[in-house]
Amino acid sequence: MLSRLLKEHQAKQSERKELQERRRREAISAATCLTEALVDHLNVGVAQAYVNQRKLDHEVKTLQVQASQFSKQTAQWISMVEGFNQALKEIGDVENWARSIEMDMRTTATALEYVHKGQLQSSNIYLFSSDVS
């Protein structure tokens, strides 16, 4: 009887061990599936982030090239505007010089007219005075 009880006990323990081993394998399998599902879910997010990062890197490089070109073009525009301003200043200087020369010429012409009129009047006076004598 004792040996039968021992055998039954060992058989039940063996069944329990098998059941426990089967449940352990199922738990491992379920944990593996869960882990794979989580990793896949994370990988999708990581892959999307990687794609987005590559797009951003490309956009940054494009923006840097465009900013550099814009900077060069702006420098050219500034140079052209400065040249234009300098030309306008020179034109203004020439205009002022021409006005100054014109004013000097008018002054000289007026003075010559006064001198010429003065000489005519003095020669007329001389003519008149010689006629009277």
Side-chain angles (χ1 to χ4, degrees):
M1 172 125 159
L2 200 52
S3 70
R4 190 177 56 112
L5 284 176
L6 181 64
K7 284 183 184 179
E8 284 178 13
H9 176 69
Q10 286 177 344
K12 284 183 181 180
Q13 265 189 327
S14 176
E15 275 182 34
R16 286 183 187 152
K17 281 184 182 181
E18 286 178 23
L19 180 63
Q20 190 176 14
E21 184 63 29
R22 188 173 37 122
R23 286 180 179 168
R24 187 182 68 80
R25 283 192 302 258
E26 288 174 359
I28 290 173
S29 175
T32 302
C33 288
L34 176 64
T35 303
E36 287 176 359
L38 288 174
V39 168
D40 287 344
H41 179 69
L42 289 176
N43 281 341
V44 168
V46 170
Q48 186 62 42
Y50 178 74
V51 167
N52 290 342
Q53 183 64 40
R54 287 186 53 152
K55 287 179 183 178
L56 285 173
D57 288 343
H58 177 70
E59 291 295 323
V60 165
K61 288 177 184 177
T62 302
L63 183 60
Q64 285 175 339
V65 168
Q66 290 175 349
S68 175
Q69 290 172 349
F70 181 71
S71 176
K72 288 176 185 176
Q73 189 176 23
T74 302
Q76 289 175 345
W77 288 347
I78 289 172
S79 176
M80 287 173 50
V81 168
E82 287 175 353
F84 182 70
N85 283 340
Q86 185 62 32
L88 284 177
K89 286 179 185 177
E90 290 173 4
I91 288 172
D93 290 345
V94 169
E95 186 178 354
N96 287 337
W97 175 78
R99 283 184 189 151
S100 176
I101 294 293
E102 182 182 10
M103 193 64 108
D104 289 347
M105 294 302 281
R106 284 186 181 171
T107 303
T108 304
T110 304
L112 287 174
E113 281 181 32
Y114 285 136
V115 168
H116 182 65
K117 285 181 183 178
Q119 285 178 353
L120 283 177
Q121 286 178 357
S122 67
S123 62
N124 284 341
I125 292 174
Y126 177 72
L127 284 173
F128 289 130
S129 63
S130 58
D131 284 342
V132 176
S133 359

